[in-house]
Amino acid sequence: MCLKSKSKDLYFAAIESLVNASDNFGPALNKHLPILLPLVAKRQDLANDERIHRLKDILCFNGGDEAEQMLQRFPLK
């Protein structure tokens, strides 16, 4: 629900939570990316490019090739 919020602060907290979840759970998070990435993409105009780029890097690093494939299917800026 936080990723659907129009509040910048709440959206930023949700992005940070995704980063933490990726750090903690690694590739186990990959199965949830088809649900999460469209939500991130829909509101990515609220975040600066640096925050979204950091999320993409962390997801790719922790999730491996599967996460990279998901990010290609659901592109972020």
Side-chain angles (χ1 to χ4, degrees), residues 32-73:
H32 303 287
L33 291 180
I35 297 167
L36 297 171
L37 291 176
L39 295 174
V40 172
K42 186 179 260 187
R43 299 274 185 225
Q44 67 183 333
D45 58 315
L46 293 177
N48 59 18
D49 291 339
E50 179 183 318
R51 196 178 303 262
I52 298 295
H53 185 69
R54 180 173 170 252
L55 174 64
K56 286 171 47 175
D57 288 346
I58 296 286
L59 289 173
C60 287
F61 179 76
N62 293 325
D65 291 336
E66 186 179 358
E68 282 187 49
Q69 291 172 358
M70 289 291 169
L71 283 163
Q72 289 175 359
R73 281 184 43 205

Side-chain angles (χ1 to χ4, degrees), residues 1-7 10-14 43:
M1 295 307 289
C2 294
L3 289 171
K4 292 181 180 182
S5 175
K6 292 181 183 178
S7 165
L10 201 52
Y11 182 78
F12 292 165
R43 299 274 185 225

Side-chain angles (χ1 to χ4, degrees), residues 8-25:
K8 278 186 177 184
D9 292 333
L10 201 52
Y11 182 78
F12 292 165
I15 296 293
E16 195 59 36
S17 293
L18 279 177
V19 168
N20 291 334
S22 182
D23 284 339
N24 289 320
F25 301 111

